[in-house]
Amino acid sequence: MNPSTLTRHRWPLVAGAGALVIYALFFASSYDQRILTLSGIYVIMVLGYQFIFGHAGALSLAQGAFFGVGAYVTGILASKFGTGFVLTFPLSVAGASMLALIVAVPVLRLASHYFALATLALSQLLLLIAVNWEAVTGGANGLPGVPPISIGDWQATRGLPLLLFVWGLAVVAMLIARWQLRPARVAAFTVMRDTPLAVPAFGIDPGLLRLRAFLLSAAFGGAAGALFVHTNRVVSPETLGFGVMITCLTMTVVGGRFGILGAVIGALLLTHLPEWFRGLDEYYLVAVGVLLLAMVVFAPDGLASFFKFSGSTHTPISTPAQPGSTEYAPPVASGRPVLEASNMSRRYGGVQALDGVDLALGAGEIVGLIGPNGAGKTTLANIITGIARADTGNIRSAGLDLARATPTAIARHGVARTFQTPQLPDGLTVREAVETAAANAGDTANVRGAATAAEAIATCDLSDIADTRCGTLPHGLRRRVEIARALAGGPHLLVLDEPAAGLAPEEQAEIAQILRTLAGSGLAILVIDHNLEFLQPLATRLACLDAGRLIADGPRDDVLANDAVQAAYFGLVMPTSTSGVSA
Ligand code: ATP
């Protein structure tokens, strides 16, 4: 977006914010000020919810529970023990965060629907505790007599002081959210949402990223709950009710799942809509419902999306260095293999996908892995990169036991891969995708992060399209971008799963040339492909799998002349065809 567009979009917002401040300071009645105070509280809760629901893309139904925990921690300590705000507020934030940390281990591993159900169950459990643990929580009636916010001699009982204090904290929450959502992290979240399969290949730890989002959502929820009870001066099971969660979800969807503006619009609108429509008496709920539905239909990305810059957090991550020539020299003693796999076996139910496979790869070698469909080639690639585990055997690369390391650790160690279907985050530009992989590479590679990203882009001849979004690229370019992404962390071993599939001959030639250059720089490359027109001139060595067993491994021409290979592989294709083999 160019600066003039930005300015044009920003003016209505600046004017709107100014009008709101003037209204709050000079025209709002004490009731209006109370509604505005509640809006500020909800802004904090929604900002937190955006981390897990928007950025991490996980439907958490626990935000109401975190709000309630914050409310009860403050409510109990303040009303029963007279503890002051200076202590109760951080304890409310810590209480909600602790709960999130405790439930994160079992809950965050769950896939989408199960995650939603588990978080819903957590809310219901807490609600039951609040209602039934009468001695502590006051039961269904809750605990009255929560004192107002006081810091030293200063008190924010109600009206303007409370309103300004709450919005002051909302601004602090906005600053924390901005700090947490720096471009590199937003890009990592985008990768996690757009290409879950390839997250480890980017060097991103999906578990840690999700945990961070969950903890932040809980901390913000707890803070909002604490402020809520000081505003209402009573804590009751309603603060843990599903209604709070639905309100938060609706605000986030209507305002926008990303960005401060989305949280502010959603919170202001949802707290004021019932007030504006109250004159319709018993029909007001219908009117509010219809309006919300219309908003969701006409602004599916939230009302903030009308102000385009609000969601455009994808600024370039770094200033790329000048392309140079990276040495992909492996961190192994000269002459030692970069990959050593022995006796690898893997069974899926009744299928023996791999059966006692031995394979070694040296620096600068390009090894072609061939075999009919279902021979076990992808299974081997998955085992090398940690996506699948072998039942038996040893596998090491440059000092790392690949059988025990996580896929993210393996990628960070310098074992890169591409996928049969290119896995790229549609929402990022080529530069952002490659830089994200560079930024998340291991410590050693990280030192040269941005330079490696720029070099990878140049090596794959992508400089002209570096600022194009991955989602708009044709298939051939997506394959090259994926190779650039794989190179960005400075790997010593590259595993490519059918890199020529679906490419025109000239595109295949471009990829082959890139791979030759990389091998010349010391990179060990394992290329899985059926296409012998592509592989034959490229690979220095061929290995052939059949029904999970390695039936040949050696110089290209010897393997192709091998009887077992001829029977297993060429027996399945027309003798005249050398490409597009299919079984
Ligand atoms: P293709 O050339 O068609 O990609 P491939 O040589 O890569 O085949 P694999 O994908 O490794 O073969 O599959 C080897 C065997 O293991 C196949 O019979 C496949 O159905 C089976 N298999 C692979 N992954 C799984 C899985 N996750 N669950 C069950 N069976 C699997």
Side-chain angles (χ1 to χ4, degrees):
M1 179 180 299
N2 64 45
S4 65
T5 326
L6 200 83
T7 313
R8 222 174 39 234
H9 282 299
R10 217 156 235 182
W11 269 116
L13 286 179
V14 173
L20 197 66
V21 171
I22 292 169
Y23 162 72
L25 290 179
F26 303 110
F27 298 102
S29 66
S30 57
Y31 181 75
D32 298 334
Q33 286 173 343
R34 187 184 143 73
I35 301 293
L36 280 172
T37 304
L38 288 176
S39 307
I41 292 171
Y42 285 126
V43 165
I44 298 173
M45 178 158 73
V46 174
L47 278 173
Y49 193 53
Q50 285 179 338
F51 282 107
I52 187 75
F53 179 62
H55 292 282
L59 178 58
S60 163
L61 296 177
Q63 192 67 358
F66 298 137
F67 182 89
V69 168
Y72 268 98
V73 170
T74 287
I76 294 167
L77 290 177
S79 68
K80 289 199 164 209
F81 305 101
T83 316
F85 177 81
V86 184
L87 208 57
T88 55
F89 185 70
L91 284 177
S92 289
V93 174
S97 309
M98 281 301 292
L99 176 69
L101 193 62
I102 292 165
V103 297
V105 177
V107 161
L108 278 179
R109 290 166 189 270
L110 299 173
S112 56
H113 323 26
Y114 301 104
F115 174 69
L117 281 177
T119 48
L120 176 62
L122 172 72
S123 310
Q124 295 306 300
L125 185 69
L126 290 175
L127 182 61
L128 278 177
I129 293 172
V131 172
N132 292 298
W133 199 13
E134 224 164 293
V136 174
T137 62
N141 295 325
L143 295 169
V146 178
I149 292 170
S150 63
I151 301 170
D153 293 337
W154 181 82
Q155 270 204 346
T157 315
R158 61 174 73 83
L160 205 53
L162 183 60
L163 167 65
L164 293 177
F165 185 78
V166 164
W167 274 91
L169 285 182
V171 170
V172 173
M174 291 172 197
L175 294 175
I176 294 174
R178 265 194 91 95
W179 166 60
Q180 283 295 321
L181 294 168
R182 42 188 173 273
R185 190 162 297 141
V186 171
F189 275 126
T190 308
V191 170
M192 196 163 82
R193 288 195 312 276
D194 287 2
T195 56
L197 181 65
V199 176
F202 277 78
I204 296 167
D205 185 332
L208 263 186
L209 202 57
R210 251 183 149 196
L211 177 65
R212 179 188 290 273
F214 199 50
L215 289 182
L216 282 165
S217 74
F220 280 51
L227 294 173
F228 185 79
V229 286
H230 280 300
T231 308
N232 267 14
R233 311 286 282 278
V234 57
V235 60
S236 70
E238 261 177 45
T239 55
L240 275 165
F242 198 52
V244 177
M245 184 62 245
I246 292 296
T247 303
C248 177
L249 184 61
T250 315
M251 287 172 173
T252 314
V253 170
V254 169
R257 283 173 297 147
F258 310 97
I260 292 165
L261 187 63
V264 174
I265 292 179
L268 278 173
L269 203 66
L270 265 288
T271 44
H272 283 85
L273 267 187
E275 306 304 322
W276 296 336
F277 284 88
R278 216 172 276 289
L280 295 176
D281 297 328
E282 68 265 34
Y283 298 110
Y284 101 93
L285 271 182
V286 177
V288 170
V290 169
L291 197 66
L292 289 180
L293 199 62
M295 286 177 194
V296 173
V297 170
F298 291 110
D301 293 329
L303 295 174
S305 61
F306 288 128
F307 304 91
K308 286 201 170 50
F309 70 89
S310 63
S312 61
T313 38
H314 303 311
T315 48
I317 294 165
S318 64
T319 311
Q322 282 304 305
S325 60
T326 302
E327 283 294 319
Y328 296 95
V332 292
S334 170
R336 293 279 302 154
V338 175
L339 176 76
E340 295 169 274
S342 61
N343 195 30
M344 308 302 302
S345 296
R346 170 75 208 217
R347 173 175 279 278
Y348 289 111
V351 179
Q352 189 69 45
L354 278 186
D355 190 0
V357 171
D358 298 333
L359 190 72
L361 239 81
E365 238 191 328
I366 302 181
V367 175
L369 184 62
I370 59 172
N373 288 111
K377 304 180 295 295
T378 299
T379 302
L380 184 58
N382 287 345
I383 287 175
I384 293 171
T385 52
I387 288 178
R389 296 290 176 200
D391 300 328
T392 64
N394 296 309
I395 183 161
R396 301 184 71 81
S397 176
L400 185 71
D401 183 352
L402 303 183
R404 293 177 191 277
T406 63
T408 304
I410 291 173
R412 287 182 179 174
H413 183 68
V415 178
R417 75 167 292 172
T418 63
F419 294 83
Q420 251 178 44
T421 307
Q423 300 288 318
L424 294 172
D426 289 350
L428 296 187
T429 65
V430 171
R431 190 194 311 283
E432 286 165 345
V434 178
E435 286 193 347
T436 302
N440 288 286
D443 286 344
T444 339
N446 221 5
V447 174
R448 52 184 188 189
T452 316
E455 286 165 22
I457 288 172
T459 304
C460 296
D461 196 14
L462 296 166
S463 303
D464 290 348
I465 55 146
D467 294 312
T468 308
R469 284 204 188 279
C470 295
T472 63
L473 295 175
H475 182 70
L477 284 175
R478 288 174 74 81
R479 289 244 179 249
R480 280 195 351 232
V481 174
E482 226 199 358
I483 294 176
R485 186 272 299 151
L487 295 177
H492 53 262
L493 170 63
L494 177 59
V495 179
L496 300 136
D497 199 349
E498 302 198 18
L503 299 189
E506 57 277 14
E507 290 173 322
Q508 292 179 14
E510 281 167 5
I511 299 246
Q513 189 47 45
I514 292 168
L515 297 183
R516 273 190 209 99
T517 308
L518 293 171
S521 307
L523 189 63
I525 303 175
L526 181 67
V527 189
I528 297 171
D529 221 301
H530 290 286
N531 184 344
L532 287 178
E533 250 172 28
F534 170 71
L535 261 192
Q536 229 170 325
L538 178 67
T540 42
R541 218 178 92 207
L542 286 180
C544 183
L545 283 172
D546 182 31
R549 281 176 299 110
L550 190 71
I551 56 171
D553 180 4
R556 182 181 49 205
D557 295 337
D558 294 358
V559 168
L560 291 177
N562 181 300
D563 287 346
V565 174
Q566 292 274 337
Y569 200 56
F570 297 105
L572 299 173
V573 294
M574 299 295 290
T576 50
S577 168
T578 52
S579 64
V581 178
S582 62

